[in-house]
Amino acid sequence: MGFASDWKSAKTAFETATGKKKPSAKFMGVFHKSGLEDVTKALDTALGKSDAKALEKALLDYVKSATAYQTTLEKSAKTEGVATIAAELKKLGQSLDDIGRRAGVAVNERIAEMREDAEAEKAKEAEEQGKAARAIADKAAVQIDGLLKTTNADIKLLDQAAANADLALRNVLEAQGAGNAKEAKAQAAAVQTAAKTVDAQAKKVAATAAQAAKLFSQAKAAVAKMKLDPKQHGGRDPAQGAFDRADAIVMKLDQLKDDAVEAATEAAGIVKEAAQALKGALDLRATYLASCRKLAKRAQDADSFYDNIARDVGGQADRAQQEQMVADEAEDDKRAASIKTATFYITQVRQQAAQAKKEILAAANEITGTRKSFPSMVSDKDPDFGPLLAAAKVSLDGLKESHAALTKAETKIDKVETALKKLG
């Protein structure tokens, strides 16, 4: 059923009531040449499509045709001069008005529906674009974070090699002092080996930093090509959060690269010092003072590094707890999402805390071992050595605090995991 059918019914009712089965030249001929059949069919056709302009035109055409036709019928009724026809004409006019009102409502509803569909489609497209952009940024962030993990491992090897070079230099001095030229040369060779390792690791760190910067640039370019409209995403770039994380890691890697280059330069200097020591041309006190400075710096760097890790792991434990609390109050669909997120953070905390605690103990042992390896001339009461050794001790205390913070985070996620199990 449609408006064309409604018009046909109104027309048939009129013919039946007036007894005018066949059109006359003056009256019924006009009746059958109104054009309303065409415009009502056009209305029905337009309502079945998604073209707002065609809908508006079809409605306007109907209104024009219906208005013109009513005027024509009124004139024809006066010509006929029959009361019955006049009454039926009134009914026909009411039918035309009714069709017009319902057609107006139908057209407006269809246009509104089309707009809602268009907005929904646009929102869907925006959501899909947002997901795609986030996927690109998240992938880059994950890849770059993986490069950071690789670099951290390389830095640990570099730091260990630098410490070995420093230790070997001190061994050169001790061997020289004891008159053991053979051991002194062996330790000088150890200095060179360690320095080469430092240089190789520094180059690896630089290459990784460059790779991270390239990944970040490529991901940013890929998202830029999508030309996202911030208005469709709450006024912000949906990928910005992941890009911010990735950018922070890229900056960290760049800093690690600079630190590695500096360490390689220092290692090269130690090789020269070892050569001077073999010739007996090295200032013993100055050499040990430099070793103390390096020890204090390694301790400070380790303290800062693991303090950041402890804070990050603690934050993840807090987020796991927040998601668990959301899951406690959420409905089934949101509960499942919160449980999944909380579980992710639990896994992250367990893995990162366990690894970091292991590394903290290793770093603390290395710092403590190096301190014990110094000769008696390196005294806590010495005005030059004392402040450096005190700084190293403060950093050792900081490592202990980070270790305790990581244990606290592990305890928190144990409680979160227990609470999640109760939710099923």
Side-chain angles (χ1 to χ4, degrees):
M1 297 293 287
F3 292 119
S5 178
D6 292 342
W7 166 239
K8 184 177 180 180
S9 297
K11 183 171 62 172
T12 300
F14 179 81
E15 290 176 337
T16 301
T18 58
K20 298 284 186 177
K21 298 300 182 181
K22 297 179 181 180
S24 66
K26 291 184 179 180
F27 180 60
M28 293 304 290
V30 175
F31 178 82
H32 280 280
K33 295 178 182 178
S34 63
L36 284 166
E37 182 176 351
D38 292 335
V39 293
T40 51
K41 284 181 179 179
L43 263 175
D44 291 336
T45 300
L47 286 167
K49 297 181 179 180
S50 298
D51 186 337
K53 290 184 178 180
L55 278 167
E56 291 171 349
K57 182 180 183 305
L59 179 61
L60 181 60
D61 287 346
Y62 173 81
V63 171
K64 288 180 177 178
S65 294
T67 300
Y69 187 54
Q70 292 230 40
T71 300
T72 300
L73 288 181
E74 288 171 2
K75 291 180 179 178
S76 297
K78 291 178 181 179
T79 301
E80 289 286 321
V82 180
T84 302
I85 292 178
E88 292 303 322
L89 275 173
K90 184 177 182 181
K91 291 180 182 180
L92 185 59
Q94 291 173 344
S95 294
L96 290 172
D97 289 341
D98 179 62
I99 290 174
R101 283 192 297 271
R102 288 188 293 111
V105 171
V107 167
N108 288 333
E109 288 180 348
R110 180 64 184 130
I111 290 176
E113 181 183 336
M114 287 163 52
R115 286 173 179 167
E116 289 176 0
D117 290 344
E119 290 175 0
E121 185 63 27
K122 191 174 182 181
K124 183 179 179 181
E125 290 178 1
E127 182 180 1
E128 291 175 352
Q129 278 192 321
K131 287 181 179 179
R134 282 192 296 272
I136 292 172
D138 285 338
K139 182 179 179 181
V142 169
Q143 289 176 324
I144 293 171
D145 187 56
L147 294 177
L148 176 61
K149 289 181 173 63
T150 298
T151 297
N152 285 335
D154 288 334
I155 287 291
K156 287 182 177 64
L157 292 175
L158 183 151
D159 287 343
Q160 184 60 56
N164 291 341
D166 195 52
L167 175 60
L169 176 61
R170 295 197 303 275
N171 290 338
V172 170
L173 295 174
E174 291 179 8
Q176 282 287 88
N180 189 341
K182 183 178 180 180
E183 178 62 18
K185 288 182 179 180
Q187 290 300 321
V191 169
Q192 290 184 331
T193 299
K196 287 180 180 179
T197 300
V198 171
D199 187 63
Q201 292 302 116
K203 289 177 179 177
K204 287 178 67 176
V205 170
T208 303
Q211 184 183 358
K214 183 178 180 180
L215 282 172
F216 181 77
S217 178
Q218 289 174 337
K220 288 284 286 185
V223 172
K225 286 182 179 179
M226 299 173 71
K227 297 181 180 179
L228 300 178
D229 181 1
K231 293 180 181 179
Q232 295 293 322
H233 303 280
R236 62 184 183 81
D237 183 345
Q240 192 59 50
F243 276 136
D244 285 344
R245 295 197 304 274
D247 190 30
I249 298 172
V250 169
M251 292 175 65
K252 175 64 176 176
L253 285 169
D254 198 49
Q255 180 59 52
L256 290 174
K257 177 196 70 176
D258 292 342
D259 292 344
V261 170
E262 183 180 347
T265 301
E266 289 181 355
I270 292 176
V271 172
K272 292 180 180 180
E273 289 178 355
Q276 290 177 326
L278 290 176
K279 297 176 182 179
L282 196 64
D283 185 329
L284 195 62
R285 181 180 176 83
T287 300
Y288 279 117
L289 191 58
S291 291
C292 274
R293 289 196 186 96
K294 292 170 186 175
L295 174 65
K297 185 177 185 304
R298 286 203 307 277
Q300 184 180 40
D301 289 346
D303 179 22
S304 177
F305 179 74
Y306 290 108
D307 177 64
N308 287 333
I309 288 181
R311 290 176 185 275
D312 181 58
V313 170
Q316 292 186 65
D318 289 339
R319 288 192 284 275
Q321 186 178 58
Q322 290 168 1
E323 291 295 337
Q324 173 254 309
M325 294 171 66
V326 170
D328 284 341
E329 304 294 333
E331 298 177 356
D332 290 344
D333 55 340
K334 293 183 179 180
R335 175 181 296 178
S338 293
I339 290 175
K340 183 178 180 180
T341 302
T343 301
F344 167 78
Y345 284 128
I346 288 172
T347 301
Q348 290 290 99
V349 169
R350 288 201 192 286
Q351 293 176 348
Q352 294 177 17
Q355 182 64 27
K357 287 170 70 174
K358 180 179 178 181
E359 292 175 1
I360 286 173
L361 291 176
N365 288 335
E366 187 277 322
I367 293 166
T368 302
T370 299
R371 171 64 187 95
K372 290 179 178 179
S373 73
F374 288 144
S376 58
M377 68 175 293
V378 183
S379 170
D380 295 305
K381 297 180 180 180
D382 187 282
D384 293 324
F385 294 117
L388 296 172
L389 296 174
K393 186 178 183 306
V394 170
S395 295
L396 273 173
D397 291 338
L399 287 174
K400 291 178 182 178
E401 291 175 2
S402 294
H403 192 281
L406 290 166
T407 299
K408 183 178 178 181
E410 289 175 320
T411 301
K412 178 173 286 187
I413 62 169
D414 285 341
K415 293 179 180 178
V416 170
E417 190 168 48
T418 298
L420 289 176
K421 287 179 179 179
K422 293 180 180 179
L423 293 175

